[in-house]
Amino acid sequence: MAGEFDLIRRYFTRSAPSDLGVDLSVGDDCALLSVPAGHQLAVSLDTLVEGQHFLPNTAPELIASRLVGSTVSDLAAMGAEPRWLTLGLTLPLADEAWVKAFSTELHQCLDTYKMALVGGDTTKGPLALSAQVHGVLPQGQGLTRHGAQVGDLICVTGTLGDSHAGLQIELKNLSPALSAADSDYLLSRFYAPTPRIQAGIVLRGLATSCIDISDGLLADLSHILSASGVGAALDLEALPLSDSLIHALGLTKAQIAALTGGEDFELCFTLPAEHRAVLNNLGVAACVIGQVSEHLGVSGLESLDLNKAGFDHFA
Ligand code: ADP
Ligand code: MG
């Protein structure tokens, strides 16, 4: 793709803000980056493949916001401050309009999260995109999955299940009676996830564990529980549900979507009760949905027959 590299470089080369520690950016064999003294580098990679993670012919802007939002969410879940992104682009052909639209939204997202694109790779093949994100955090302060203690509050940011409903709208599985406002909101939750960066940073040193919800609350919470060797008592009534989600699915299916629907990219974390007040200071609504217990597994969902109520359908 020799000629195409010029196209890529044209749309992906931009000077980085001076405060991001970028000593050398796109155009050499490597980028050279400075990690501030006393900090660790946090690194994570995600890949989106057409037909697997987004529908064929999805608008390039939507692919860009989803790629960056979902990848940066891993930095948020660690309590890291976003810094740098490298991009792996596999394109079936050098479609300048596509690249232009994709890169415009990509740069917009990077500005929002105060990040710099510092390199990448471009190849020809079926449409697929990888983003590796790099963030920094004070040495030893990363929010891991393994510190939850019996008695801690189990908390989540935002509302859950919206992204799942957004995907169902795209798949035409939902009643067309949904209002345009509800539908737009749910679709935006699927295509433009908001990484909870400030929340992760504020929770450093306070939360005992943290994860971002990519596979569904139950699946992701279970990673915390097994890494920490504890269980959870959840309060079904306390699950944060948007009005739009309830309009779309009704209460019971909304609760199931909140528990099992993926890709909300909200944070789920455990918090000693004495730090409860920090929930008002995360830059996003947050609430308590249960408590860490010594009994392994998850209790509190017995009134919701997940199998009968369509858990399989949502799996
Ligand atoms: P090399 O052959 O040394 O690996 P490449 O020719 O692949 O270098 O890339 C040249 C420069 O362009 C490198 O700095 C690389 O990081 C950058 N680059 C290539 N593709 C992309 C992309 N999709 N986004 C951002 N930078 C890219
Ligand atoms: Mg090289």
Side-chain angles (χ1 to χ4, degrees):
M1 288 195 39
E4 283 100 346
F5 277 136
D6 293 334
L7 178 71
I8 300 303
R9 290 212 194 88
R10 185 137 36 95
Y11 286 106
F12 292 103
T13 308
R14 250 185 27 164
S15 58
S18 59
D19 58 344
L20 290 181
V22 179
D23 303 318
L24 190 61
S25 189
V26 173
D28 213 310
D29 293 312
C30 292
L32 297 176
L33 310 167
S34 290
V35 178
H39 285 64
Q40 283 172 299
L41 185 63
V43 180
S44 179
L45 174 86
D46 273 315
T47 298
L48 298 181
V49 176
E50 185 178 52
Q52 276 298 324
H53 304 98
F54 57 89
L55 299 172
N57 301 314
T58 296
E61 296 86 346
L62 299 178
I63 298 172
S65 61
R66 187 131 179 273
L67 179 72
V68 181
S70 63
T71 313
V72 172
S73 173
D74 285 313
L75 294 178
M78 216 65 201
E81 221 175 281
R83 279 280 197 281
W84 311 296
L85 185 142
T86 49
L87 176 69
L89 258 189
T90 304
L91 296 172
L93 64 156
D95 175 345
E96 178 157 1
W98 193 100
V99 171
K100 184 177 181 187
F102 176 84
S103 72
T104 300
E105 179 63 27
L106 181 87
H107 290 306
Q108 191 102 40
C109 292
L110 294 177
D111 288 346
T112 302
Y113 306 135
K114 301 189 172 53
M115 298 180 82
L117 176 67
V118 297
D121 192 31
T122 308
T123 52
K124 191 170 173 137
L127 183 61
L129 310 95
S130 293
Q132 178 149 347
V133 288
H134 311 72
V136 297
L137 80 171
Q139 183 80 33
Q141 288 196 29
L143 298 171
T144 63
R145 301 177 178 186
H146 61 251
Q149 300 288 321
V150 172
D152 285 350
L153 306 174
I154 299 173
C155 309
V156 293
T157 59
T159 57
L160 303 181
D162 296 332
S163 178
H164 170 86
L167 174 60
Q168 297 311 310
I169 292 171
E170 278 298 67
L171 296 173
K172 316 238 181 294
N173 287 343
L174 286 187
S175 137
L178 204 57
S179 75
D182 286 336
S183 170
D184 288 351
Y185 167 77
L186 296 169
L187 283 169
S188 78
R189 294 277 288 161
F190 176 67
Y191 280 119
T194 307
R196 302 306 185 186
I197 298 165
Q198 188 193 330
I201 291 171
V202 172
L203 288 169
R204 284 181 200 152
L206 301 175
T208 50
S209 70
C210 185
I211 194 168
D212 67 322
I213 302 176
S214 53
D215 296 330
L217 173 67
L218 286 181
D220 290 309
L221 174 61
S222 77
H223 294 312
I224 286 182
L225 300 180
S226 58
S228 304
V230 293
L234 293 185
D235 176 3
L236 188 57
E237 311 291 307
L239 290 176
L241 307 173
S242 69
D243 291 343
S244 297
L245 183 69
I246 295 175
H247 296 161
L249 299 182
L251 179 62
T252 302
K253 282 194 168 169
Q255 288 171 328
I256 294 169
L259 290 165
T260 64
E263 316 213 309
D264 285 315
F265 299 109
E266 296 295 345
L267 298 185
C268 173
F269 54 97
T270 55
L271 190 68
E274 72 255 34
H275 298 316
R276 191 184 191 119
V278 79
L279 294 180
N280 300 317
N281 197 23
L282 299 183
V284 56
C287 67
V288 177
I289 59 163
Q291 207 166 11
V292 177
S293 71
E294 57 192 330
H295 306 288
L296 299 186
V298 175
S299 66
L301 306 178
E302 296 74 15
S303 69
L304 197 66
D305 186 336
L306 284 173
N307 291 313
K308 209 165 145 196
F311 180 75
D312 287 344
H313 170 71
F314 283 88

